[in-house]
Amino acid sequence: MKLLFTTAEDAIATLAMLAMVVLPLLEIFVRRAFGVGVPGSGPFVQHLTLWVGFLGAAIAAREGKLLALATGTFIPDGRARRAAEVFAAAVATFAASVLAWGGVQLVLSERDAGTTIGADVPAWVAQLVLPIAFALIAARLVWRASRGWTGRASASIGILVAIAVVRNPSLLAGGPAWPGLALVAIAAVFGAPIFAILGAAAALLFMSDGVTPAAILVETYALSVSPTLPAIPLFTLAGFILAEGRSSERLLRVFRAIFGWIPGGTAVVCAVLCSFFTAFTGGSGVTILALGGVLFPALLRDGYRERFSLGLLTASGSLGLLLPPSLPLILYGVVAQIPIEDLFIGGILPGILLTSMIAGWGVREGIVTGAGRHRFDLREAGAALWEGKWELAMPAVVLVSMFSGIATAVEAAALTACYALLVQTVVHRDLLIQRDLLRVVGECVAVIGGVLVILGVAVGLTNYMVGAQVPVRLVDWVRGHIDSRLTFLFVLNLFLLVVGWLMEIFAAIVVVVPLIVPLGAAFGIHPVHLGVIFVANLELGFLTPLVGLNIFLASYRFKRPVLEVCRAALPTMAILGIGVLVITYVPWLTTGLLGLLGR
């Protein structure tokens, strides 16, 4: 029975993901051929994103892949670690259970309202995934809290507390929220999932004001069905498909043939190749996990020092977040309501700058150590370019389809995912549809779910802060204490560095962007420049000692202690820090191309 349910769950999520690819492609064809679109295509794709995101989150909970702060790993193994894990799970199940109840309230409300998506499909049918997914997450968090029934029973206390507060709202209404928030903060340190931290905080704040938790789910639903948000899972799917085939080997051959002759050539290749992959996969860690096994041995084989190689790949795992089709830039555009195309253009030169600076560090290493170089061979370069031409064309597919008017951002993302699939299955035959497609899409859905569930609850917390006039008060306070635009930019960088240290990049965008956009406007900062500054700082946050995501992924991938990875990454973190300051104080890097293109 359990296997049947799991199979059905995976199948529904996978079919929803594939339908998200097919519908936008059909929309492009019908619009070009007949001058009209497919009725209801956009709303259906948006609601499929809702299903992919939250079923994916339930699958991530089943597989133990919900994103969490890694601070819990610093607790010594033994009874203390087990107690901390059970406590974190109890708080997380509380959050998931309250959100499940909020989902029920939303579904009942929408059923009474009679809203439809299209083709007379009621909106509440699509929204059913919210209470179902959060209920599954709560149950799975209890199950995974401990191997023993005592630990699981302790973790299930979170469900009982949630039932008590939703049935008796007066328990929280009118009272202070800080005791509950303190427990949430402790659970965060102990390793509770990020969605649970944000969701529990939002629920406690709303309910202490006498507002039902359905208010969180209303905002979750609104974000999930945003017209542009489907581009994120679609581009992520394209990146997963690339990573599963032999694209990394073909691209490594291309970049090595072109750059391998210069000092530090292999290191330069690593920076460029990682930047290329991260542009498609975002900050999910796919780059380090997928390419690390190829690039780390290549660096060592060519004579690069182990510490340098470790630091280079740790830093390179987040390069490319400023290059199109960067997923954080897409989300920033959704939240800040800025044209995504403008963010793509604005991020090109800053993204090239950061990649070049890390590549320059590789050149310096090659000169100092005399690491192996590869003689330039025109014939080999031509052969490598020919073999890798399909992968190299992917950025052009994105940019041409979007800027020519052929496709919207979502349609371009679907086109890119389809293109990647055809290249890997038909052209190169690295993947077999009957053997690999469901597996790759399933793994992708779990990663997407882990991200989108964070976004969904984060927007609820943001809505509370907006309602509490936090952005307005913040603007007034900053104006009263900071007069200089340059000083403000420096303080903003420090603030965003702390944000990158404490928060996952996608959650940070949803929570923090509404706070800083009014500040940027108050100091006359171009909105695209502000977005590039934001993403550049959070890219740097991936390398924050001890808690940066890249630190832990590199530790896992290369089987090195966390502190060793931290030491190895410090030089590259300093280099990227300088690059962020240059991006901040030389706005032309961001706005120059926009001006030339008349945008």
Side-chain angles (χ1 to χ4, degrees):
M1 184 66 183
K2 179 181 177 182
L3 179 60
L4 181 62
F5 181 82
T6 298
T7 303
E9 185 180 25
D10 291 342
I12 293 171
T14 300
L15 288 174
M17 184 80 246
L18 294 176
M20 285 181 63
V21 177
V22 172
L23 278 175
L25 295 178
L26 185 61
E27 175 77 14
I28 295 173
F29 173 76
V30 172
R31 188 173 63 242
R32 300 287 293 182
F34 304 105
V36 295
V38 178
S41 171
F44 276 115
V45 171
Q46 294 157 23
H47 285 81
L48 285 169
T49 304
L50 184 72
W51 275 77
V52 167
F54 286 89
L55 274 184
I59 293 170
R62 185 188 76 202
E63 304 296 330
K65 293 180 178 179
L66 289 172
L67 294 175
L69 298 178
T71 48
T73 60
F74 294 113
I75 301 173
D77 215 349
R79 184 173 296 177
R81 169 81 69 85
R82 290 193 294 273
E85 289 172 348
V86 169
F87 177 78
V91 172
T93 56
F94 166 81
S97 301
V98 169
L99 292 169
W101 175 246
V104 171
Q105 292 176 309
L106 176 64
V107 168
L108 294 176
S109 174
E110 285 290 339
R111 190 177 65 175
D112 293 339
T115 309
T116 60
I117 299 171
D120 294 328
V121 176
W124 68 266
V125 173
Q127 294 167 351
L128 273 174
V129 73
L130 293 170
I132 291 171
F134 280 119
L136 285 173
I137 290 170
R140 286 164 175 172
L141 286 169
V142 168
W143 182 259
R144 298 186 66 89
S146 172
R147 294 183 179 180
W149 287 104
T150 301
R152 290 169 181 167
S154 300
S156 66
I157 292 174
I159 298 176
L160 300 178
V161 174
I163 293 172
V165 298
V166 298
R167 289 177 63 88
N168 301 282
S170 59
L171 292 174
L172 293 178
W178 68 263
L181 294 177
L183 293 176
V184 172
I186 294 170
V189 174
F190 286 171
I194 295 172
F195 96 87
I197 300 166
L198 299 173
L204 290 169
L205 290 168
F206 272 116
M207 295 179 76
S208 66
D209 285 350
V211 180
T212 171
I216 304 171
L217 275 298
V218 169
E219 297 301 322
T220 299
Y221 173 67
L223 176 68
S224 299
V225 298
S226 166
T228 315
L229 192 70
I232 292 179
L234 289 170
F235 277 127
T236 303
L237 177 60
F240 261 81
I241 293 170
L242 282 181
E244 285 292 325
R246 294 179 53 245
S247 293
S248 59
E249 297 175 22
R250 286 187 288 272
L251 290 171
L252 176 61
R253 182 187 177 192
V254 169
F255 295 132
R256 177 175 276 172
I258 296 173
F259 300 110
W261 62 273
I262 64 176
T266 304
V268 172
V269 167
C270 290
V272 174
L273 182 55
C274 287
S275 184
F276 181 95
F277 261 82
T278 304
F280 285 93
T281 60
S284 62
V286 173
T287 299
I288 290 177
L289 297 178
L291 303 187
V294 175
L295 300 182
F296 194 58
L299 287 165
L300 297 181
R301 190 164 52 246
D302 285 350
Y304 292 87
R305 292 176 298 171
E306 183 173 308
R307 176 177 290 189
F308 165 83
S309 303
L310 188 60
L312 177 78
L313 294 178
T314 302
S316 298
S318 57
L319 287 178
L321 291 183
L322 289 172
L323 297 173
S326 163
L327 306 185
L329 286 181
I330 293 172
L331 183 61
Y332 189 97
V334 171
V335 175
Q337 298 182 348
I338 299 173
I340 292 170
E341 295 88 346
D342 289 357
L343 285 166
F344 281 176
I345 296 170
I348 289 174
L349 293 181
I352 292 174
L353 172 68
L354 295 182
T355 301
S356 299
M357 292 179 74
I358 295 298
W361 177 246
V363 172
R364 180 257 180 202
E365 176 73 8
I367 294 173
V368 170
T369 63
R373 295 159 63 177
H374 296 264
R375 182 176 61 86
F376 181 78
D377 185 327
L378 184 60
R379 182 174 297 178
E380 166 62 15
L385 285 167
W386 182 255
E387 185 185 28
K389 61 184 180 296
W390 297 103
E391 284 86 359
L392 292 171
M394 282 191 67
V397 171
V398 177
L399 297 177
V400 171
S401 61
M402 288 182 65
F403 289 103
S404 66
I406 294 174
T408 64
V410 172
E411 291 165 355
L415 188 61
T416 305
C418 182
Y419 178 89
L421 182 62
L422 290 175
V423 168
Q424 298 302 310
T425 58
V426 177
V427 177
H428 293 300
R429 300 185 180 180
D430 294 339
L431 303 177
L432 296 178
I433 290 181
Q434 64 271 26
R435 184 192 66 191
D436 300 309
L437 181 60
L438 294 181
R439 174 181 57 82
V440 173
V441 175
E443 292 175 0
C444 178
V445 164
V447 171
I448 291 168
V451 171
L452 290 187
V453 72
I454 292 172
L455 301 185
V457 296
V459 75
L461 180 59
T462 301
N463 185 51
Y464 176 85
M465 291 192 292
V466 171
Q469 297 187 321
V470 173
V472 175
R473 295 176 184 176
L474 186 60
V475 170
D476 291 340
W477 185 90
V478 171
R479 278 180 163 173
H481 292 79
I482 300 176
D483 297 322
S484 167
R485 182 171 179 269
L486 298 180
T487 303
F488 167 72
L489 286 171
F490 182 74
V491 173
L492 177 65
N493 276 318
L494 293 179
F495 170 70
L496 292 177
L497 189 60
V498 173
V499 169
W501 179 57
L502 295 174
M503 297 184 71
E504 191 268 342
I505 187 169
F506 292 103
I509 292 172
V510 174
V511 173
V512 179
V513 168
L515 303 180
I516 68 165
V517 165
L519 291 173
F523 283 91
I525 300 170
H526 193 290
V528 174
H529 186 210
L530 184 68
V532 170
I533 292 171
F534 186 97
V535 175
N537 271 281
L538 267 69
E539 180 176 323
L540 183 60
F542 277 86
L543 299 178
T544 307
L546 297 182
V547 296
L549 179 62
N550 281 12
I551 300 293
F552 286 95
L553 289 173
S555 173
Y556 168 78
R557 186 65 183 85
F558 304 123
K559 296 180 173 57
R560 299 293 190 279
V562 168
L563 290 178
E564 181 181 338
V565 177
C566 287
R567 285 194 297 269
L570 285 177
T572 51
M573 184 180 181
I575 292 168
L576 290 177
I578 295 169
V580 169
L581 291 176
V582 172
I583 292 168
T584 300
Y585 289 107
V586 185
W588 181 89
L589 284 169
T590 299
T591 59
L593 286 179
L594 289 169
L596 290 174
L597 296 173
R599 300 183 73 91

